[in-house]
Amino acid sequence: MTEVKKILITDTTLRDAHQSLMATRMRTEDMLPIAEKMDNVGFYSLEVWGGATFDTCMRFLDEDPWERLRKLRQRIKKTKLQMLLRGQNLLGYRHYADDVVENFIAKVIANGIDIIRIFDALNDIRNMEKAMFYTKREGGHVQATISYTISPLHDNNHFIEMGKRLEEMGADSICIKDMAGLLSPYNVYILIKELKDKISIPLQLHCHCTSGMAPLAYLKAIEAGVDVLDTATSSLAMGTSQPPTDSIVASLKGTPYDTGLDLEQLSEISDYFKEVRKKYDIPLEAALGVDTNVLSYQIPGGMISNLAAQLAQQNASHLLAETLKEVPRVRADLGYPPLVTPSSQLVGSQAVVNVLLGERYKMVSTEIKNYIRGLYGKPPGEINPELREKILQGSEPVTCRPADLLEPQMEKARSEIEEYMEKEEDLLSYILFPQVALNFFKRRQGLIPELKEEEEKKAEEVKVKSNLDLSAIYRVDSSLLSDEDDDEEVWDIVYPT
């Protein structure tokens, strides 16, 4: 029989809520005035760091992400602070050497993070093991993560077996991360009930509201025995964000699942962020309504808006419907990777290029090539044989843990930026985002002008070397798009927003 117990709440307002609705643009100055009030609510944890916030702080806000973390920790003294980590990718879009992972996690915990939610875009647990080991060694809480997706290869048994293996690897808790809002209420009930029967550690659920099912899924998850839910303050909830904290708390009040959180306090926090959100651009389609394309194509809402933006910049918005159909085909060709960073960018960008050129895989990005070569990890399923042969040309893909092929990076990087370093964390910022961090350091020292709106736009531009204007296509690695006919470079690299 399922144990009836108080439900714990992780609030995502200071990380995933504004990442989902406001392109991760919330400034630290808008977080600090409300931080102590949020600390007094009694949340299980506050998600405040990681994901896209690290890159965005330096690239667009001219802020030091490490300084943000320290300032929040100074004000939040009672509640555990939580972050999202992309396994061996850390907060970037490629694998980093083990010495970088070791030092990064040590600094993260030293600066105030208590819980690290660790995932891998392919659910390849080899890419999670080092991050889990170092988090445990540094005294942090390891929340190992299952990236939920739907495909012919992914069923509940697959996720349950993964959960068992993660517990065996030393996870302190497990999170089911439903980034596209695909979990239906009755399926989540079965999944959580069966998973709880197989593991002995707490289970947390993270859903987005894009499909409209997340609040319903949360209630069935509670009945099935989930321990912790991710929610966002009501003024930054729903749409592509999480279910509203206030509504979930009110729904459970007076029941055996009562969170014990005070609705009046939550209302004050929501009122504060109602004013904050007026400063930022929140696209209507992100904040309101249900996107049924999520259910039809298993594409996260944010990815759909990115595809639409890329096509619009090519004057090709009329090709969106065809691109949405192409995304599942590319995903199938690649062995059904979950559509989460960075695999969602790889799949989406290739789908756009295929449709724009009117020929599948005429141009193939180096990221896709590296994926097929095994340099992102083991794909969940078999790669399309024709595509595999086109890329590998008879060679065999890498079968080891990709990071085993990487030389240590810390000392080489130190020699490259020694003159700009003011603290050890600067070295890690540089390794993750070399050009972005270097420009940030130079602005900090007054060597180049401060970041202005026009410079922000310029930072997103790329130099096009082909007939097509592919400048809007997102890049996720320090590599180039290549034409299979001549292997010429097509554009310079920028990171996704």
Side-chain angles (χ1 to χ4, degrees):
M1 183 175 177
T2 303
E3 178 188 359
V4 176
K5 59 184 179 297
K6 170 183 174 180
I7 295 297
L8 303 176
I9 299 291
T10 289
D11 185 276
T12 67
T13 305
L14 301 181
R15 205 286 297 177
D16 200 21
H18 74 93
Q19 180 172 319
S20 298
L21 294 177
M22 295 165 16
T24 331
R25 294 301 199 273
M26 191 186 293
R27 294 183 175 276
T28 304
E29 66 187 28
D30 289 324
M31 301 177 182
L32 298 181
I34 198 67
E36 290 181 29
K37 188 163 284 187
M38 296 181 79
D39 188 25
N40 289 326
V41 169
F43 292 118
Y44 169 70
S45 64
L46 290 167
E47 191 197 34
V48 300
W49 215 64
T53 62
F54 194 91
D55 177 14
T56 302
C57 271
M58 293 186 292
R59 184 188 296 274
F60 298 118
L61 305 181
D62 216 6
E63 291 185 9
D64 186 337
W66 299 98
E67 189 63 23
R68 171 182 290 186
L69 176 55
R70 283 190 288 271
K71 287 179 176 179
L72 287 170
R73 180 78 281 178
Q74 288 168 4
R75 289 161 176 79
I76 300 170
K77 299 180 178 167
K78 306 173 193 173
T79 312
K80 294 174 183 175
L81 297 186
Q82 183 166 323
M83 71 165 291
L84 180 68
L85 190 86
R86 299 168 183 155
Q88 201 74 24
N89 289 3
L90 297 177
L91 300 179
Y93 306 98
R94 72 191 76 134
H95 288 285
Y96 300 97
D98 290 341
D99 65 329
V100 179
V101 175
E102 178 180 12
N103 283 274
F104 187 86
I105 287 174
K107 286 298 181 184
V108 160
I109 292 174
N111 279 280
I113 289 293
D114 301 291
I115 302 170
I116 303 183
R117 179 176 291 172
I118 301 166
F119 78 95
D120 177 68
L122 302 182
N123 281 332
D124 186 341
I125 61 175
R126 299 174 305 167
N127 295 332
M128 301 165 65
E129 62 184 16
K130 288 295 184 182
M132 291 174 66
F133 172 79
Y134 292 129
T135 300
K136 200 89 167 174
R137 191 186 71 181
E138 296 296 324
H141 176 113
V142 174
Q143 185 167 95
T145 303
I146 299 167
S147 294
Y148 183 82
T149 190
I150 295 174
S151 84
L153 307 176
H154 296 90
D155 58 18
N156 285 352
N157 288 333
H158 172 89
F159 297 124
I160 290 166
E161 286 303 311
M162 183 177 177
K164 287 163 59 179
R165 292 178 67 191
L166 291 172
E167 181 176 20
E168 291 167 0
M169 290 170 61
D172 296 300
S173 64
I174 288 176
C175 174
I176 300 172
K177 178 179 168 64
D178 177 22
M179 51 279 176
L182 297 173
L183 269 168
S184 65
Y186 288 99
N187 189 47
V188 79
Y189 180 88
I190 295 168
L191 175 59
I192 286 180
K193 196 165 185 57
E194 292 184 357
L195 190 52
K196 289 289 288 184
D197 286 342
K198 301 294 184 182
I199 63 172
S200 59
I201 54 178
L203 183 59
Q204 187 154 349
L205 181 60
H206 172 95
C207 291
H208 289 252
C209 295
T210 321
S211 71
M213 294 193 293
L216 300 172
Y218 273 20
L219 287 176
K220 292 303 290 183
I222 290 166
E223 292 177 1
V226 78
D227 299 285
V228 192
L229 295 172
D230 281 13
T231 62
T233 188
S234 58
S235 49
L236 288 176
M238 303 298 285
T240 53
S241 181
Q242 280 75 53
T245 306
D246 319 46
S247 304
I248 297 296
V249 169
S251 299
L252 301 179
K253 196 168 183 63
T255 75
Y257 307 110
D258 197 325
T259 64
L261 303 186
D262 185 85
L263 282 168
E264 187 173 330
Q265 286 181 296
L266 296 175
S267 179
E268 291 174 4
I269 292 166
S270 179
D271 287 344
Y272 172 82
F273 283 107
K274 280 179 187 174
E275 294 303 311
V276 166
R277 73 184 184 187
K278 293 176 182 177
K279 303 179 184 180
Y280 300 94
D281 177 30
I282 301 181
L284 195 61
E285 65 272 15
L288 298 174
V290 172
D291 196 329
T292 55
N293 284 314
V294 172
L295 302 175
S296 300
Y297 303 115
Q298 290 87 54
I299 302 172
M303 183 178 174
I304 294 172
S305 60
N306 287 343
L307 294 173
Q310 292 178 48
L311 290 167
Q313 293 195 37
Q314 316 303 319
N315 295 316
S317 294
H318 61 288
L319 295 176
L320 179 60
E322 181 57 34
T323 302
L324 291 176
K325 294 176 184 176
E326 177 65 4
V327 167
R329 292 194 287 258
V330 172
R331 184 177 176 233
D333 288 342
L334 297 178
Y336 296 101
L339 293 178
V340 62
T341 301
S343 58
S344 57
Q345 286 90 344
L346 269 69
V347 171
S349 295
Q350 189 62 56
V352 169
V353 171
N354 287 356
V355 171
L356 285 174
L357 297 182
E359 181 181 337
R360 305 190 77 223
Y361 305 112
K362 178 178 181 351
M363 285 184 174
V364 181
S365 68
T366 302
E367 293 98 331
I368 294 287
K369 292 181 178 181
N370 287 341
Y371 174 93
I372 293 171
R373 290 170 181 142
L375 296 179
Y376 283 91
K378 181 177 172 55
E382 292 298 319
I383 304 291
N384 177 298
E386 289 184 16
L387 179 60
R388 172 177 162 147
E389 180 56 31
K390 178 185 181 80
I391 301 305
L392 297 183
Q393 297 180 355
S395 64
E396 290 299 315
V398 167
T399 57
C400 67
R401 186 182 72 108
D404 289 340
L405 303 173
L406 299 177
E407 296 292 330
Q409 294 176 276
M410 292 288 291
E411 291 314 307
K412 180 178 182 295
R414 187 185 302 276
S415 65
E416 294 171 356
I417 62 149
E418 204 158 9
E419 62 183 300
Y420 301 109
M421 279 183 61
E422 295 182 3
K423 55 187 180 300
E424 192 68 16
E425 288 86 346
D426 290 343
L427 177 59
L428 294 162
S429 299
Y430 172 76
I431 292 173
L432 265 63
F433 298 102
Q435 194 57 53
V436 171
L438 191 59
N439 287 339
F440 173 74
F441 300 153
K442 289 179 178 179
R443 288 194 299 270
R444 185 174 64 186
Q445 294 182 7
L447 300 176
I448 59 175
E450 292 183 8
L451 193 63
K452 305 292 182 186
E453 186 67 26
E454 56 269 23
E455 290 172 322
E456 175 179 326
K457 291 178 182 177
K458 185 178 178 182
E460 296 185 78
E461 293 177 358
V462 291
K463 188 167 75 175
V464 179
K465 301 179 182 177
S466 70
N467 293 328
L468 274 175
D469 178 11
L470 298 175
S471 62
I473 311 293
Y474 291 109
R475 312 298 294 129
V476 298
D477 208 344
S478 57
S479 48
L480 303 165
L481 189 70
S482 58
D483 188 318
E484 286 300 315
D485 294 335
D486 55 17
D487 267 354
E488 287 184 1
E489 295 178 348
V490 178
W491 59 30
D492 295 334
I493 181 72
V494 292
Y495 282 90
T497 58

